[in-house]
Amino acid sequence: MSGLYIHIPFCRQKCRYCDFVSFAGAEGLTDDYLSALEKEASFCPSFAADTLYIGGGTPSLLSAAQLEKLCGLIARRFAPLGTFQESTLEANPESLTKEKLRLLKDAGLNRLSLGLQSFDDGVLKRIGRVHDVKTFLSAYGAAREARFDNINVDLIAGLPGQTKEMFLQGLKKLADLKPEHISVYGLQVEEGTPFYKEGVQADEDLLRMELEETHRLLQAAGYVHYEISNFALPGRESRHNLNYWQNGEYLGLGSAAASYLNGVRRSNVPDVREYLRRIAAGENPAEFAEKLTGKAKEGEAVMLGLRMLGGVRLSDAQKRFFSGEIRDLVRRGLVEQNGDFIKLTFEGIFLANQAFMAFVGPFEEACR
């Protein structure tokens, strides 16, 4: 399995919690950016991808004509959208029009990911979202009318001004809509975001209660909790993201896009204008590259695999490198082991970062 990721870094407004590489008010660069994407693709060696993910930013902010241009360059440089096993576009409700939905469906796109974040208008305003609940419901209905039968919806737990009761009420409303996939992320206040500057802090106890209830409610509604933050109706797991967690190869195009090819991880320069300058000059847009070896490489593979609730099968090298760490995690109740398989316990799901630390360097002994 291999994936193609294309980053669209433009947003109408920057959300107050967001630390992703995205820029508000820079939409005037979009046409130049799309041309740069195609030129970057021409620099790359031939790459056959099974899945496609167009993320951001807000890809749905592009006009219909710009989306058509994007679909065209993907078809020319890689394959038509309809030939990918899974092709996803991230969208915000306020910018997803019926015209864009028809265009994307006709181009072969088969999956949408909608950013709802909360089912409460007051909370949406507090966190800097442009849409309201009515706009989301309208966009979701339009996507169904356009015959999209594979939709993900994002929610955030632990948002300021959102009680447990408000969150669970919204989660139940969302489950009643029966999207094929639901992603529920716990609020993380990252340095540099407006929330960080305002001194907003996540209520860890409230967050834990909301995430535990999410697990129970969505499983009762027929969803499979297959990854720490992700729930899917049977057979509707995100193939693109599964490739990441299974340590598969992927090619990333655009500012800040990451790739993993031939054992090398690299990421492009995040600044859009610098990305455009480098591409125009025929320069490498990557600002970082590394090739992990030995214990560091094996640890990364275990950490990624542990994100899946089904767990990961340990190789002989991984057992040799991490036998002590795994025994300690089992003792602490974060991981359970059955032969060559390890997986997070129920407690470990909510304390996953503590478990992951065991597989991330620097290690006491040198990497071999």
Side-chain angles (χ1 to χ4, degrees):
M1 182 76 76
S2 59
L4 171 64
Y5 175 79
I6 296 178
H7 189 65
I8 306 296
F10 308 111
C11 286
R12 181 166 297 169
Q13 179 174 291
K14 189 82 170 178
C15 298
R16 306 188 70 76
Y17 56 83
C18 180
D19 71 329
F20 294 153
V21 177
S22 59
F23 307 93
E27 298 95 313
L29 298 173
T30 303
D31 286 326
D32 289 341
Y33 186 84
L34 293 175
S35 297
L37 285 175
E38 182 152 21
K39 189 171 183 180
E40 184 187 5
S42 73
F43 297 162
C44 301
S46 177
F47 184 76
D50 301 295
T51 63
L52 167 69
Y53 197 101
I54 304 168
T58 310
S60 60
L61 187 60
L62 272 59
S63 68
Q66 289 167 338
L67 284 171
E68 187 172 21
K69 182 178 180 179
L70 176 60
C71 294
L73 78 86
I74 294 169
R76 286 190 298 275
R77 295 298 177 182
F78 300 98
L81 271 65
T83 63
F84 291 95
Q85 292 181 21
E86 178 186 271
S87 51
T88 304
L89 179 128
E90 288 185 348
N92 280 349
E94 73 281 355
S95 57
L96 190 62
T97 66
K98 291 183 178 181
E99 179 188 11
K100 294 176 185 179
L101 285 164
R102 284 195 299 269
L103 185 154
L104 292 166
K105 187 66 176 178
D106 290 345
L109 190 86
N110 59 31
R111 187 172 184 269
L112 289 171
S113 182
L114 293 175
L116 169 59
Q117 316 311 358
S118 173
F119 239 108
D120 183 90
D121 285 343
V123 174
L124 289 172
K125 185 175 182 180
R126 171 74 175 90
I127 66 178
R129 300 294 288 180
V130 177
H131 71 273
D132 57 16
V133 173
K134 182 179 178 181
T135 304
F136 164 75
L137 292 173
S138 177
Y140 185 88
R144 290 305 196 196
E145 290 175 9
R147 296 175 290 108
F148 278 97
D149 63 358
N150 196 359
I151 299 177
N152 169 67
V153 179
D154 289 345
L155 283 180
I156 301 178
L159 289 170
Q162 179 174 262
T163 65
K164 176 185 173 183
E165 290 70 26
M166 291 164 60
F167 172 77
L168 292 177
Q169 184 180 46
L171 183 64
K172 290 174 183 175
K173 290 179 180 178
L174 178 57
D176 287 343
L177 291 175
K178 279 293 181 185
E180 286 70 26
H181 194 283
I182 297 175
S183 298
V184 182
Y185 302 102
L187 175 67
Q188 293 184 330
V189 180
E190 303 290 353
E191 188 172 355
T193 63
F195 271 180
Y196 181 87
K197 295 173 184 176
E198 294 168 13
V200 172
Q201 294 183 341
D203 184 331
E204 297 297 335
D205 292 334
L206 176 63
L207 185 58
R208 171 67 181 265
M209 287 190 291
E210 290 180 351
L211 292 176
E212 286 185 358
E213 289 298 323
T214 296
H215 173 88
R216 297 187 181 98
L217 189 154
L218 290 183
Q219 289 208 137
Y223 289 86
V224 178
H225 191 180
Y226 74 100
E227 192 270 344
I228 291 172
S229 302
N230 289 278
F231 302 77
L233 295 178
R236 294 308 186 104
E237 298 84 355
S238 169
R239 296 182 183 183
H240 185 85
N241 287 338
L242 281 172
N243 182 57
Y244 290 149
W245 302 320
Q246 293 168 351
N247 211 27
E249 290 198 329
Y250 51 90
L251 171 66
L253 301 177
S255 70
S259 300
Y260 179 51
L261 299 170
N262 300 315
V264 178
R265 297 199 182 276
R266 68 170 177 83
S267 57
N268 284 350
V269 59
D271 182 80
V272 175
R273 288 179 173 81
E274 176 61 13
Y275 169 78
L276 292 175
R277 187 200 67 76
R278 292 193 186 189
I279 295 297
E283 298 176 8
N284 188 342
E287 70 164 5
F288 169 82
E290 68 173 357
K291 185 170 186 176
L292 297 180
T293 59
K295 188 170 185 177
K297 179 182 178 181
E298 299 298 339
E300 182 183 67
V302 175
M303 181 185 69
L304 290 170
L306 272 179
R307 292 197 63 90
M308 298 179 291
L309 268 61
V312 59
R313 180 194 289 272
L314 298 171
S315 68
D316 290 341
Q318 290 162 354
K319 287 185 287 186
R320 183 174 71 252
F321 281 130
F322 294 104
S323 59
E325 288 89 340
I326 292 170
R327 283 196 301 270
D328 181 61
L329 291 173
V330 171
R331 179 187 61 78
R332 292 162 58 192
L334 300 180
V335 164
E336 60 184 69
Q337 184 170 12
N338 183 10
D340 292 340
F341 277 90
I342 61 170
K343 67 178 182 177
L344 295 173
T345 61
F346 185 73
E347 178 72 10
I349 295 172
F350 308 104
L351 299 175
N353 286 338
Q354 293 186 27
F356 294 160
M357 288 174 61
F359 304 100
V360 179
F363 303 107
E364 290 184 5
E365 67 267 37
C367 294
R368 299 191 290 274

